[in-house]
Amino acid sequence: NVLASEGSNDEEIELGQCWSHVSEALIPSLLNAIGHPYDKCRDHIASLLFRMCYCHRKFINTLSYGKGSRSNDPGITIMNQLVGIQDSTSYSFKEKNRALGTARKFVAYCVHWGDAKHEYSQFIVPLLPLAFKALQTTEGEVSVEDRGIEAELVKGFRYAIADISTSCVVSYGVSNDITRVLAILKEMSEHDNWQIRQASAHFLRCFQGVHKFLFSQEQAESSLSIAISLLSDDRREVSNAATSAL
């Protein structure tokens, strides 16, 4: 028993050193490259970021390493960086669009490779506002090349939002996550950009259909209130999209 205990302690120490190295060296390097000019590189970066978060949680659950402590949790650093892309002033136009594309790929990996109970709550829901706001295009004079880059990004995020609304089901007993999503939809339904409001109407229709029997009375009323506000929208595109959510 003594030998087993010492072996377990050594393993935890090695694991702690490993994650310290990942957090201090590897993750900053990857996050600095999320605006990389090559799409294949950004794809690998998003994949690695997801795998780090996923593996870290598996290590915690299986070895009980670091439970109660989030000091070496790579998910915190990664989320802080991704959530802040939209408002960051450190990127050029092209770099920001590429970085947003990396965030979209990260979301896609969370949807298709992750566990709903963890990835949806910890990563997908906090990145939903970024996904919606990425649908807003730049106003004013923009070069043809930049406009094409932006259009491709918007197209990708439309697919991502649709994917989240239909593929993710909050059936793991955390009703508060449904409330969080509805709060985001309410915010997006009041956005100045009509395309974002339209996207929120489409998302609400799918989200409501998937979770209809999981809604509490308060959540059902909140969903209906959002749909009614969108139905009275000045833009016909938005009001038409809202009719299907009723």
Side-chain angles (χ1 to χ4, degrees):
N1 290 338
V2 174
L3 291 175
S5 176
E6 290 178 353
S8 176
N9 289 335
D10 289 342
E11 188 176 14
E12 287 197 14
I13 291 171
E14 289 178 5
L15 184 59
Q17 293 172 342
C18 174
W19 280 114
S20 295
H21 181 70
V22 167
S23 299
E24 294 169 7
L26 183 55
I27 290 179
S29 297
L30 291 173
L31 291 176
N32 286 335
I34 58 175
H36 197 281
Y38 293 124
D39 183 67
K40 195 68 175 177
C41 292
R42 298 197 301 274
D43 192 33
H44 284 304
I45 289 168
S47 173
L48 284 170
L49 292 176
F50 167 79
R51 290 173 188 276
M52 286 176 188
C53 296
Y54 188 84
C55 291
H56 183 263
R57 190 183 71 249
K58 290 297 182 183
F59 277 129
I60 288 177
N61 291 339
T62 56
L63 300 178
S64 299
Y65 165 75
K67 279 194 172 180
S69 172
R70 304 185 68 188
S71 58
N72 287 329
D73 186 352
I76 298 174
T77 305
I78 291 168
M79 285 303 299
N80 288 339
Q81 181 78 15
L82 297 182
V83 168
I85 293 173
Q86 195 79 52
D87 299 323
S88 175
T89 57
S90 61
Y91 297 108
S92 67
F93 179 88
K94 287 185 173 67
E95 286 174 339
K96 177 173 284 190
N97 279 273
R98 291 167 185 155
L100 288 169
T102 304
R104 179 185 63 79
K105 292 173 186 290
F106 178 81
V107 169
Y109 287 127
C110 289
V111 171
H112 295 286
W113 291 357
D115 298 331
K117 181 178 180 181
H118 300 282
E119 271 69 26
Y120 192 80
S121 181
Q122 188 177 355
F123 304 125
I124 296 175
V125 175
L127 286 171
L128 258 184
L130 178 140
F132 278 108
K133 291 176 182 178
L135 301 179
Q136 185 172 8
T137 55
T138 305
E139 298 180 357
E141 291 294 327
V142 180
S143 69
V144 175
E145 181 188 3
D146 287 349
R147 188 64 75 189
I149 293 172
E150 198 171 51
E152 191 66 27
L153 179 74
V154 169
K155 180 182 177 181
F157 269 106
R158 286 193 183 280
Y159 280 121
I161 291 171
D163 205 13
I164 295 168
S165 67
T166 56
S167 301
C168 301
V169 182
V170 188
S171 58
Y172 44 82
V174 184
S175 181
N176 184 53
D177 283 349
I178 295 178
T179 303
R180 291 168 65 199
V181 173
L182 290 173
I184 292 169
L185 289 177
K186 179 173 176 56
E187 180 186 351
M188 296 302 115
S189 70
E190 299 169 351
H191 199 278
D192 293 336
N193 185 274
W194 71 266
Q195 292 175 320
I196 294 177
R197 299 198 302 274
Q198 182 190 42
S200 69
H202 288 306
F203 188 99
L204 178 64
R205 171 176 57 83
C206 298
F207 185 78
Q208 185 176 257
V210 172
H211 297 88
K212 183 175 293 184
F213 298 106
L214 297 172
F215 277 178
S216 66
Q217 182 64 33
E218 183 180 353
Q219 289 165 346
E221 291 174 357
S222 175
S223 174
L224 180 61
S225 173
I226 296 169
I228 291 172
S229 69
L230 289 167
L231 194 62
S232 61
D233 198 277
D234 294 336
R235 295 286 305 209
R236 179 172 294 181
E237 296 92 335
V238 178
S239 59
N240 286 345
T243 57
S244 59
L246 291 174

